[in-house]
Amino acid sequence: MSLSFLNRSYLGFELRRTFRNRRFFIFSLGFPFVLYFLIAGPNRNETNLGGTGLPAPLYFMVGLAAFGTMNAMLSAGARIAGERAVGWNRQLRITPLTTREYFRAKVVTGYAMSCLTLGALYLAGISLGVSLTGSEWLRMTGLILVGLLPFAGLGIVFGHLLTPDSIGPAMGGSTALLSILGGVFFPITNGTMVKIAEALPSYWLVQAGHVGLGGKGWSATGWFVVAAWTVGAAALARWAYRRDTVRV
């Protein structure tokens, strides 16, 4: 069996297994979708939310886009923890599958779920009257996808360090904390909090979504923070994987 065939087979298996997991779909895809309608639906005719001059459906769509995609990407950790619990990772170690190809499959799967979440929220927003230009949709989506890179690594780290019993609370708490500090649910205005927020990848993921609100995208600081977190998360993921695979 050639390595390329093995890699394609493993990636295809990962995608099929993920999409067939109904419970995972409900919580990773359905939760932000339903939450959006619960929050934005009653305010669909509000065109000046909180005096911002922004329609409520658009404001909540871009906010939940950051939350939903971040949650979908981190959820790869829950699948990894489950695989470790049943010994699936030990079986993979006796195959020619490389560490790089293993990581690639996990990242691609995370992006697939994130894209589905993002698409669902876009459709939900459009159904409530959200209207953006083609360039705004593209710029916003492109920056969001780049902003998810650190979370791909963090999901793998969580999966290889935590057990199935502990990863749920750890991921839920991490997602909530990063969302709050990153300004997902409300703008960060305090000077000290702004400095803290700007050092987090979740803040720049939110700013990516704000392109749809007329934002300019990322500054040089944003690109640096996202790149630094991506490199750091990738290094931690590699360390966690190696630590896990050499464990007796």
Side-chain angles (χ1 to χ4, degrees):
M1 179 183 297
S2 68
L3 288 179
S4 59
F5 177 77
L6 176 63
N7 295 332
R8 290 196 302 270
S9 298
Y10 178 63
L11 176 58
F13 170 77
E14 280 287 300
L15 291 170
R16 289 192 299 273
R17 186 168 63 92
T18 300
F19 294 156
R20 289 173 181 172
N21 189 329
R22 295 180 181 178
R23 182 180 300 177
F24 176 74
F25 254 79
I26 290 173
F27 287 101
S28 294
L29 180 62
F31 178 68
F33 182 76
V34 173
L35 185 61
Y36 174 75
F37 278 110
L38 289 176
I39 298 175
N43 301 288
R44 63 183 305 167
N45 297 319
E46 176 61 64
T47 59
N48 186 25
L49 183 68
T52 61
L54 299 170
L58 173 60
Y59 182 86
F60 291 122
M61 184 193 76
V62 300
L64 284 174
F67 172 80
T69 55
M70 177 170 57
N71 184 64
M73 189 63 82
L74 287 175
S75 63
R79 297 192 298 275
I80 293 173
E83 292 170 359
R84 292 170 57 235
V86 299
W88 174 242
N89 281 52
R90 289 193 296 272
Q91 296 296 318
L92 289 178
R93 291 169 203 162
I94 64 176
T95 71
L97 191 72
T98 66
T99 303
R100 177 178 296 181
E101 296 301 333
Y102 170 80
F103 283 173
R104 182 181 298 171
K106 298 302 183 185
V107 172
V108 169
T109 303
Y111 264 106
M113 284 305 305
S114 296
C115 287
L116 284 176
T117 301
L118 197 59
L121 286 170
Y122 284 175
L123 291 175
I126 291 171
S127 73
L128 294 186
V130 171
S131 178
L132 299 174
T133 66
S135 62
E136 287 174 332
W137 285 113
L138 289 175
R139 287 183 60 228
M140 177 172 64
T141 303
L143 274 182
I144 288 174
L145 294 179
V146 175
L148 287 173
L149 282 171
F151 301 101
L154 290 175
I156 295 174
V157 172
F158 288 162
H160 282 286
L161 294 183
L162 301 174
T163 65
D165 291 332
S166 62
I167 196 168
M171 284 178 49
S174 298
T175 303
L177 182 62
L178 288 170
S179 297
I180 293 172
L181 294 179
V184 168
F185 302 112
F186 51 83
I188 306 296
T189 56
N190 178 273
T192 301
M193 292 302 298
V194 168
K195 295 297 184 182
I196 295 174
E198 289 180 344
L200 299 174
S202 54
Y203 174 82
W204 297 105
L205 187 61
V206 171
Q207 296 307 304
H210 283 183
V211 169
L213 302 178
K216 297 180 179 179
W218 295 344
S219 63
T221 299
W223 286 101
F224 174 79
V225 170
V226 171
W229 272 86
T230 299
V231 172
L236 280 175
R238 183 173 292 274
W239 169 81
Y241 177 78
R242 289 178 174 175
R243 174 181 178 272
D244 197 30
T245 55
V246 299
R247 188 179 58 188
V248 178

